[in-house]
Amino acid sequence: DIQMTQSPSTLFASVGDRVTITCRASQSISYWLAWYQQKPGKAPKLLIYKASSLESGVSSRFSGSGSGTEFTLTISSLQPEDSATYYCQQYNSYSWTFGQGTKVEIK
Amino acid sequence: QVQLQESGPGLVKPSGTLSLTCAVSGGSISSSNWWSWVRQPPGKGLEWIGEIYHGGNTNYNPSLKSRISISVDKSKNQFSLKLSSVTAADTAVYYCASRPDDGVRMVFANWGQGTLVTVSS
């Protein structure tokens, strides 16, 4: 199984800050990496697919980068509504695994 | 886009079988989507369980494969999950989701609201 490790586990930032979350894969997954946002009591929402492609309708504040084993999600200017938990997800050989999540809180 | 709604018992006894159904609306279950199940234990992360295509092809999480069965009912436009020999570790919010069969994104694009299943005597 491919393991996904996110850092940090929790992040405190102010409105307007640039925020970066890292996701590392235990082996190369090329660009098969997605990012989701989950708010309390809600289902996850797809933000980014294929490492850097923005899902339709998602704010351009969100961007993704990386390939191989190291990936990042960046929020260019943090807004109050971005307070949530963010998960990375990898795909390999018809199997999917998620990172443990990064909780983003507003200072 | 399709809407998904999970249903099923909220309480299952240990060693029993968890059974959930996901109703698909706003589109056909025979469309170009894989139909998936993902779960989330309280306060924890997400775990992919498995998926099915309308033709009956399935992919399962290797760690759960021996206990799960996913089926599709085209006449009712729904798909179902059965998880056998459950323990407290199977307590989770269970989500159904759709994965577009576009060969491009390999992601879960639409999700149901989720349903909490507790395993307890």
Side-chain angles (χ1 to χ4, degrees):
Chain A
D1 283 6
I2 296 177
Q3 307 301 318
M4 307 302 293
T5 303
Q6 288 183 233
S7 60
S9 296
T10 306
L11 184 159
F12 294 88
S14 300
V15 172
D17 282 354
R18 183 180 183 88
V19 168
T20 298
I21 299 168
T22 297
C23 179
R24 291 186 173 86
S26 59
Q27 65 187 70
S28 177
I29 55 171
S30 185
Y31 46 70
W32 294 113
L33 192 285
W35 291 97
Y36 297 81
Q37 176 193 66
Q38 186 179 34
K39 296 184 177 181
K42 301 293 187 182
K45 174 188 174 183
L46 176 65
L47 301 175
I48 301 283
Y49 63 92
K50 283 183 75 175
S52 60
S53 296
L54 191 67
E55 175 70 354
S56 176
V58 173
S59 171
S60 58
R61 293 196 307 278
F62 296 93
S63 64
S65 65
S67 66
T69 61
E70 188 149 337
F71 302 85
T72 59
L73 172 71
T74 299
I75 308 173
S76 60
S77 177
L78 189 68
Q79 299 301 301
E81 61 267 30
D82 300 334
S83 178
T85 300
Y86 294 83
Y87 293 93
C88 62
Q89 166 244 296
Q90 70 82 26
Y91 159 74
N92 179 261
S93 299
Y94 288 100
S95 186
W96 287 259
T97 52
F98 294 85
Q100 82 277 17
T102 294
K103 188 173 185 178
V104 174
E105 299 200 52
I106 308 293
K107 281 183 187 174
Chain B
Q1 62 186 27
V2 294
Q3 289 81 51
L4 305 170
Q5 178 67 58
E6 306 88 350
S7 62
L11 182 65
V12 181
K13 287 183 169 30
S15 77
T17 297
L18 180 159
S19 297
L20 295 174
T21 296
C22 181
V24 178
S25 59
S28 171
I29 202 160
S30 296
S31 61
S32 298
N33 285 289
W34 286 78
W35 305 101
S36 305
W37 290 96
V38 177
R39 69 181 182 178
Q40 184 171 37
K44 296 188 178 179
L46 300 160
E47 180 181 33
W48 174 71
I49 298 170
E51 63 177 9
I52 190 166
Y53 201 65
H54 58 78
N57 289 355
T58 55
N59 295 302
Y60 291 153
N61 185 326
S63 68
L64 297 169
K65 189 172 184 177
S66 63
R67 297 196 291 133
I68 60 175
S69 174
I70 299 176
S71 59
V72 65
D73 187 335
K74 295 180 191 178
S75 67
K76 294 182 178 179
N77 219 42
Q78 64 186 32
F79 62 106
S80 299
L81 167 70
K82 290 188 186 299
L83 176 65
S84 63
S85 304
V86 297
T87 69
D90 295 308
T91 293
V93 174
Y94 286 75
Y95 293 100
C96 57
S98 63
R99 178 175 75 77
D101 185 31
D102 55 14
V104 175
R105 293 183 290 169
M106 308 307 280
V107 294
F108 308 105
N110 294 314
W111 297 66
Q113 65 185 27
T115 188
L116 174 63
V117 179
T118 301
V119 178
S120 175
S121 55

